[in-house]
């Protein structure tokens, strides 16, 4: 090996962060295999590569015995003491056996090892960079597509966005810029693998965190998200400051903040509701945009019975039960919705007992 190779190793350590000692050890281990393979020997050998000059030597390691049965792995005490007079029986003697043309083999092996280690180091750096972005949003360019995934170029790596993770009726073409949520980062034998989603509730949460300064600063907190991607979502927010309206902060001036998110999600409807520790109030808010007359809470069953005006029943339930289903996901409570007339018939509840509850929520189409 030349001094140029040693200098290249030093540059790799500086530029790629690959330890020079690790490279030397890997090259020495690879050279042992190359020596045995190319010279068809079963000898126990050690390869030494000088860290300063790059000179490579191969040493056969032999056990010192009284009677030699296998000259490939054993040496007599007499022969060993010609090398070093201090050797004793059962010591290990090292005898240089460096082949004359071993330099060519060494150079080729070293190149392969260094190339492999550089590839591993680069994969490690990419993995380290993206594992911190798990559960975050990235933007990339659609590079290609197959039957299962579309592949997004993120600069240093290509990420997979399964077609099942696209919103309904969402179509992209080559070269389109796509914003997606990182659901998983894995370090596989083929390098880092990054999985994306456009339907994950985390995408909605991160979009609000990026768009609303009060959430980013920690004044307003997102307590829960329920989403049926491409159709409707609900998000419950809470303010740590009594003077800051959490719902108004998310809506923004003239609805600009939430509208930006709606546009990114291709018109998905978003209900922003105020979180409350009071289950009755929280459930009533979660059923936005319908009006609620009364909420009866059954702690043991973790169920809430909600009574709404007759004319609001279909709105409270939603198309194919969507509004009620999302409200249940958002709150974590089972919700049984009854119209005022149904409640009167089933439970004998007079209509005059109820007036509409105060609800704090905003629905954005």
């Amino acid at each position: 090996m030349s001094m140029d190779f040693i200098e290249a190793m030093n540059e790799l350590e500086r530029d790629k962060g690959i330890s020079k000692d690790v490279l030397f050890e890997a090259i020495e281990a690879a050279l042992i295999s190359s020596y045995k393979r190319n010279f068809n020997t079963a000898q126990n050998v050690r390869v030494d590569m000088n860290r300063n000059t790059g000179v490579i030597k191969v040493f056969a390691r032999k056990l010192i015995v009284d009677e030699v049965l296998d000259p490939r792995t054993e040496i007599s005490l007499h022969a060993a003491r010609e090398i070093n007079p201090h050797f004793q029986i059962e010591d290990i003697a090292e005898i240089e056996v460096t082949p004359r043309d071993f330099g060519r083999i060494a150079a080729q092996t070293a190149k392969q090892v260094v190339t492999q280690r550089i590839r591993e180091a680069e994969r490690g750096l990419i993995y380290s960079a993206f594992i911190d972005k798990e559960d975050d949003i990235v933007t990339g360019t659609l590079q290609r597509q197959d039957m299962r995934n579309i592949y997004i170029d993120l600069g240093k790596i290509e990420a997979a966005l399964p077609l099942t993770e696209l919103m309904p009726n969402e179509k992209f073409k080559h070269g389109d810029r796509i914003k997606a949520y990182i659901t998983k980062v894995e370090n596989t034998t083929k390098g880092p693998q990054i999985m994306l989603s456009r339907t994950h509730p985390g995408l909605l949460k991160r979009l609000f965190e990026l768009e609303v300064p009060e959430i980013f600063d920690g004044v307003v907190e997102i307590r829960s998200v329920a989403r049926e991607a491409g159709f409707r979502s609900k998000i419950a927010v809470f303010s740590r400051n009594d003077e800051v309206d959490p719902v108004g902060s998310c809506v923004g001036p003239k609805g600009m903040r939430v509208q930006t998110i709606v546009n990114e999600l291709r018109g998905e409807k978003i209900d922003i509701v105020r979180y409350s520790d009071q289950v009755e109030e929280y459930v009533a808010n979660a059923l936005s945009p319908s009006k609620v007359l009364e909420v009866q809470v059954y702690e043991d069953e973790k169920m809430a019975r909600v009574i709404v005006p007759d004319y609001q029943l279909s709105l409270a339930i939603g198309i194919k039960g969507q509004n009620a289903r999302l409200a249940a996901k958002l709150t974590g409570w089972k919700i049984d919705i009854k119209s005022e007339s149904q409640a009167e018939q089933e439970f004998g509840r007079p209509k005059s007992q109820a007036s509409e509850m105060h609800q704090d929520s905003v629905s954005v189409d």
Side-chain angles (χ1 to χ4, degrees):
M1 291 289 178
S2 66
M3 287 299 297
D4 289 342
F5 180 78
I6 300 299
E7 182 56 35
M9 300 270 276
N10 291 330
E11 285 184 21
L12 281 174
E13 187 171 49
R14 290 193 300 268
D15 299 342
K16 301 285 187 181
I18 307 172
S19 169
K20 185 170 62 175
D21 290 334
V22 171
L23 280 175
F24 275 121
E25 290 170 8
I27 291 170
E28 286 170 349
L31 287 174
I32 291 173
S33 298
S34 294
Y35 174 81
K36 290 181 177 181
R37 184 173 60 252
N38 284 279
F39 296 95
N40 195 26
T41 178
Q43 283 180 309
N44 182 15
V45 299
R46 178 178 70 85
V47 172
D48 177 74
M49 185 174 183
N50 189 290
R51 271 46 171 175
N52 298 316
T53 64
V55 173
I56 295 173
K57 292 182 178 180
V58 183
F59 297 92
R61 305 182 81 245
K62 298 188 178 185
L63 179 67
I64 300 172
V65 295
D66 282 326
E67 183 181 357
V68 176
L69 300 177
D70 186 351
R72 295 174 303 174
T73 59
E74 298 173 337
I75 187 172
S76 69
L77 179 62
H78 175 74
R81 283 185 170 172
E82 289 182 357
I83 302 169
N84 186 330
H86 299 292
F87 275 136
Q88 300 295 329
I89 295 294
E90 294 191 354
D91 285 349
I92 299 294
E94 291 193 343
I95 305 160
E96 186 178 351
V97 291
T98 309
R100 182 174 298 176
D101 61 343
F102 194 60
R104 175 184 56 80
I105 296 170
Q108 185 178 14
T109 303
K111 181 181 178 182
Q112 291 171 349
V113 170
V114 170
T115 301
Q116 181 182 359
R117 288 304 173 108
I118 289 173
R119 189 180 299 116
E120 289 173 358
E122 288 175 342
R123 287 174 175 175
L125 291 172
I126 291 171
Y127 175 77
S128 299
F130 280 95
I131 191 64
D132 293 336
K133 293 183 179 180
E134 202 170 49
D135 301 324
D136 203 351
I137 290 174
V138 289
T139 303
T141 306
L142 194 155
Q143 203 67 11
R144 58 191 179 90
Q145 180 173 341
D146 59 24
M147 295 295 290
R148 298 175 59 189
N149 304 305
I150 60 176
Y151 297 91
I152 312 298
D153 181 9
L154 299 179
K156 294 182 179 180
I157 193 171
E158 199 174 64
L161 173 57
L163 298 179
T164 54
E165 294 296 317
L166 288 175
M167 292 188 291
N169 303 320
E170 201 168 38
K171 293 183 180 179
F172 295 102
K173 61 182 184 298
H174 182 271
D176 282 351
R177 297 279 291 173
I178 299 176
K179 189 175 288 185
Y181 181 79
I182 298 180
T183 56
K184 184 169 63 176
V185 178
E186 285 186 316
N187 210 2
T188 70
T189 53
K190 295 181 179 180
Q193 184 180 59
I194 299 172
M195 302 303 293
L196 304 177
S197 173
R198 290 270 299 166
T199 64
H200 198 283
L203 176 63
L204 180 65
K205 184 174 184 288
R206 286 296 291 133
L207 286 171
F208 270 99
E209 288 171 347
L210 294 171
E211 194 65 35
V212 181
E214 290 84 352
I215 295 178
F216 184 83
D217 294 338
V219 177
V220 173
E221 181 183 344
I222 298 173
R223 287 295 181 91
S224 182
V225 176
R227 187 177 181 211
E228 293 190 2
F231 299 103
R232 193 178 205 101
S233 295
K234 290 182 183 285
I235 181 168
V237 292
F238 172 79
S239 177
R240 298 178 183 274
N241 186 336
D242 292 340
E243 296 181 2
V244 177
D245 174 19
V247 176
S249 297
C250 293
V251 173
K254 298 182 180 179
M256 290 176 61
R257 291 175 182 173
V258 70
Q259 193 58 53
T260 299
I261 297 170
V262 169
N263 292 342
E264 174 60 39
L265 299 180
R266 308 296 175 95
E268 185 174 310
K269 296 178 180 179
I270 301 174
D271 297 334
I272 306 168
V273 307
R274 184 189 291 269
Y275 172 83
S276 174
D277 290 329
Q278 299 297 316
V279 176
E280 295 88 348
E281 184 180 352
Y282 188 24
V283 169
N285 291 344
L287 282 168
S288 170
S290 76
K291 302 299 180 183
V292 172
L293 297 175
E294 184 181 343
V295 178
Q296 301 166 356
V297 175
Y298 300 87
E299 293 277 357
D300 293 342
E301 303 171 49
K302 203 170 183 183
M303 190 268 281
R305 178 173 290 122
V306 179
I307 300 170
V308 299
D310 291 356
Y311 70 95
Q312 290 276 295
L313 181 61
S314 60
L315 183 62
I317 295 172
I319 299 171
K320 297 181 180 179
Q322 185 184 70
N323 194 54
R325 188 166 56 247
L326 284 172
K329 285 182 184 177
L330 189 74
T331 61
W333 284 71
K334 296 177 184 176
I335 298 177
D336 178 29
I337 302 174
K338 302 288 185 183
S339 70
E340 194 174 9
S341 296
Q342 288 172 333
E344 184 181 4
Q345 272 188 343
E346 293 181 32
F347 314 114
R349 175 185 178 280
K351 292 187 179 182
S352 58
Q353 285 185 1
S355 59
E356 289 183 0
M357 293 180 64
H358 171 71
Q359 292 167 263
D360 196 347
S361 58
V362 170
S363 183
V364 180
D365 292 348

